[in-house]
Amino acid sequence: MQAIHRLLLAAVVMVLLAGATAMAADAVIPPGTVITHANWEQYKQFMPVGMQVLWEGKYHWKFPPDFQIVVGPEHHYAPPKVYTDNTKKYAGQVKIVDLPNGEHTISGYVAGLPFPNPSAPRKGYKILVDEWYRYVPYLICGPDYWNWLMDRFGNHAPLRLILVYRRLSHISDFGMPITDPQAQGVDYSEYIMLTIPEQEKYVTNLTLYYVDPSKPEDLYLFIPALRRSLRLTAAARCAPFVGTDLVQDDTRSGFNGGIVRFNAKYLRDMQVLTLTTADRMVYGKFSNFYTQNIVWPKPSIGSWELRPVYVIDVRRIPQESAGYCYAKQIMYIDKESFNCLHKEMYDGKMQLWKYMRIDHIASPVPHEGMQFETGNFINGIYDFQSSHITVTTTSNPQGLWDRNNEDCRNYNGVNYDDVRKYSSVAGLSQVLR
């Protein structure tokens, strides 16, 4: 009889927990709510762990006494029609493939979202794959990314760069083929050239990812003093990214490690606060950020909103985990766009090391309307162990921000739609011309 009572009690508890989880998932914060130090704990269920730590003030980086988050309405951004059509056409044929060395890849992927309704088994890994192949415009160009590097003493170091990201395969944009004729097996290219500080001007980073996900990416670094480029080893994935607090695998708006060398476990659904709307003339000015013990957008930049997310635990496969930057990464993946909105990184002792916030700022894409992922963002990464911050904005004080696709063909007199120059190793020889 006692055993039956225990079973009944366990069943009741499970029902109550399920009900509480459902209520939490459906909970909202009314637009107009102002979150401050006086009331933040009642809204902590809508915050990633990293944000809660900043409220608690355990580390050097913390929210100042006058800090506020103003909550606004939620926005929705429908993916482009071509991307949606490709999802319907091709998603059913995508399969997860386990490789003999413990790595994973996929087969049958052509374009669109690989797993439009990720579910068990291996739900977490399907979400990670969706994040990797989420909709992004085939061309992203930014002529003046602004970065602020700050240490615990408040010292600021400026960093400026030019960025050109290009999808050459699996394209889902108006008027474009699925595979660019110039792709030559490349899926995605990332070109970044430093312009400030002067002593590092023209240092250029080029990364090439391939259509076959199991083929390791190639990473090249052009060094002006040598007048040549160097091919870097795979160990560079954990190297600081152009002097910031990010490593190579943190870029690409939150996650840049690929899908082959990682496992991902689904943890839960939740809603998190994020920023999706901001005026490019406002968020490019440093004066519109809190700068006392934190670098964070003030309410003048925009209001925050709740977004439903999947929370996943991402780790290197055991065979390749030794010496990797992070023991685990907790990622908060937007359910509508599959953008990574927040990420926490843990060291080898499973201690919180860094927290990254990625505010994807919606902006117009030619023929596609307002999109949630356009390369425009406000990115903050907070290193709790070394007390260092890197904040990036894709708009400068004059309002120059990322443009996309054909709008990159003549941006301030520069044609960023040049595959050879910005998406090939040969293009690195043109840096100083």
Side-chain angles (χ1 to χ4, degrees), residues 83-359:
Y83 188 82
T84 301
D85 290 345
N86 284 338
T87 298
K88 294 176 181 177
K89 186 175 182 179
Y90 299 114
Q93 66 192 42
V94 182
K95 307 294 182 185
I96 298 173
V97 179
D98 294 323
L99 302 175
N101 60 358
E103 296 179 339
H104 319 292
T105 186
I106 58 173
S107 65
Y109 178 66
V110 178
L113 193 65
F115 300 105
N117 297 294
S119 59
R122 306 179 79 167
K123 180 175 179 178
Y125 186 73
K126 292 174 183 176
I127 294 168
L128 183 67
V129 172
D130 283 344
E131 191 277 341
W132 189 250
Y133 292 108
R134 72 195 188 281
Y135 172 73
V136 297
Y138 75 84
L139 183 56
I140 298 172
C141 59
D144 195 19
Y145 272 50
W146 278 51
N147 296 264
W148 294 283
L149 283 64
M150 188 167 78
D151 64 20
R152 64 180 295 113
F153 304 106
N155 298 312
H156 291 196
L159 194 71
R160 306 287 181 266
L161 54 88
I162 294 170
L163 177 147
V164 183
Y165 278 11
R166 186 171 193 126
R167 181 169 290 289
L168 291 155
S169 304
H170 311 303
I171 299 170
S172 291
D173 272 298
F174 176 84
M176 291 294 293
I178 288 177
T179 302
D180 190 301
Q182 304 175 81
Q184 297 184 325
V186 174
D187 172 26
Y188 203 80
S189 66
E190 300 171 351
Y191 175 101
I192 294 171
M193 185 178 76
L194 291 176
T195 58
I196 294 176
E198 183 66 28
Q199 64 269 25
E200 296 179 19
K201 191 173 184 179
Y202 303 121
V203 170
T204 305
N205 183 299
L206 175 68
T207 308
L208 301 177
Y209 293 88
Y210 295 95
V211 174
D212 178 0
S214 64
K215 181 179 179 179
E217 64 277 358
D218 281 322
L219 177 61
Y220 300 89
L221 185 67
F222 176 79
I223 303 175
L226 301 177
R227 297 295 196 273
R228 62 188 291 260
S229 58
L230 303 177
R231 184 176 180 178
L232 304 184
T233 69
R237 304 309 301 176
C238 287
F241 179 71
V242 293
T244 69
D245 292 291
L246 293 86
V247 301
Q248 295 284 342
D249 276 2
D250 290 329
T251 58
R252 205 181 194 182
S253 298
F255 178 74
N256 207 23
I259 61 172
V260 173
R261 299 182 292 272
F262 292 87
N263 291 320
K265 179 182 178 182
Y266 166 77
L267 299 180
R268 62 188 180 277
D269 287 3
M270 66 178 290
Q271 295 190 84
V272 296
L273 287 161
T274 191
L275 187 68
T276 76
T277 58
D279 187 330
R280 60 190 173 93
M281 301 301 296
V282 177
Y283 81 84
K285 295 182 174 66
F286 196 51
S287 59
N288 290 315
F289 286 78
Y290 291 100
T291 56
Q292 179 188 348
N293 290 328
I294 198 73
V295 180
W296 193 282
K298 290 181 179 179
S300 58
I301 287 180
S303 59
W304 294 65
E305 63 186 80
L306 286 179
R307 304 285 304 182
V309 299
Y310 300 110
V311 185
I312 58 175
D313 180 335
V314 179
R315 308 187 189 198
R316 271 277 183 125
I317 62 171
Q319 297 89 328
E320 300 181 26
S321 62
Y324 185 64
C325 347
Y326 308 126
K328 70 174 179 179
Q329 304 172 71
I330 303 300
M331 297 170 58
Y332 300 76
I333 307 298
D334 184 73
K335 288 187 175 183
E336 183 176 54
S337 65
F338 287 89
N339 288 336
C340 178
L341 306 182
H342 301 270
K343 186 172 79 165
E344 291 124 15
M345 299 86 106
Y346 291 78
D347 65 16
K349 297 180 179 180
M350 288 299 178
Q351 300 296 314
L352 180 62
W353 179 6
K354 303 176 186 177
Y355 162 57
M356 179 189 289
R357 187 197 79 251
I358 313 104
D359 306 323

Side-chain angles (χ1 to χ4, degrees), residues 8 21 27 47 49 67-68 74 101 123 141 266 342 377 424:
L8 289 173
T21 301
M47 301 176 189
V49 170
F67 183 82
Q68 294 183 347
E74 182 179 339
N101 60 358
K123 180 175 179 178
C141 59
Y266 166 77
H342 301 270
F377 59 80
S424 75

Side-chain angles (χ1 to χ4, degrees), residues 33-107:
T33 298
V34 179
I35 303 175
T36 67
H37 278 281
N39 64 2
W40 77 268
E41 290 191 87
Q42 73 185 77
Y43 302 109
K44 64 188 300 183
Q45 72 184 83
F46 304 109
M47 301 176 189
V49 170
M51 188 184 292
Q52 294 181 40
V53 167
L54 293 173
W55 281 109
E56 291 167 353
K58 295 179 179 178
Y59 298 91
H60 175 79
W61 304 122
K62 55 190 173 185
F63 293 140
D66 61 341
F67 183 82
Q68 294 183 347
I69 288 178
V70 178
V71 181
E74 182 179 339
H75 296 80
H76 295 281
Y77 307 100
K81 182 179 184 301
V82 177
Y83 188 82
T84 301
D85 290 345
N86 284 338
T87 298
K88 294 176 181 177
K89 186 175 182 179
Y90 299 114
Q93 66 192 42
V94 182
K95 307 294 182 185
I96 298 173
V97 179
D98 294 323
L99 302 175
N101 60 358
E103 296 179 339
H104 319 292
T105 186
I106 58 173
S107 65

Side-chain angles (χ1 to χ4, degrees), residues 363-393:
S363 58
V365 175
H367 307 288
E368 313 296 5
M370 293 293 288
Q371 292 297 322
F372 195 13
E373 177 57 286
T374 63
N376 281 303
F377 59 80
I378 305 169
N379 181 319
I381 182 164
Y382 307 89
D383 187 327
F384 295 113
Q385 296 185 13
S386 67
S387 299
H388 206 272
I389 284 178
T390 299
V391 172
T392 304
T393 71

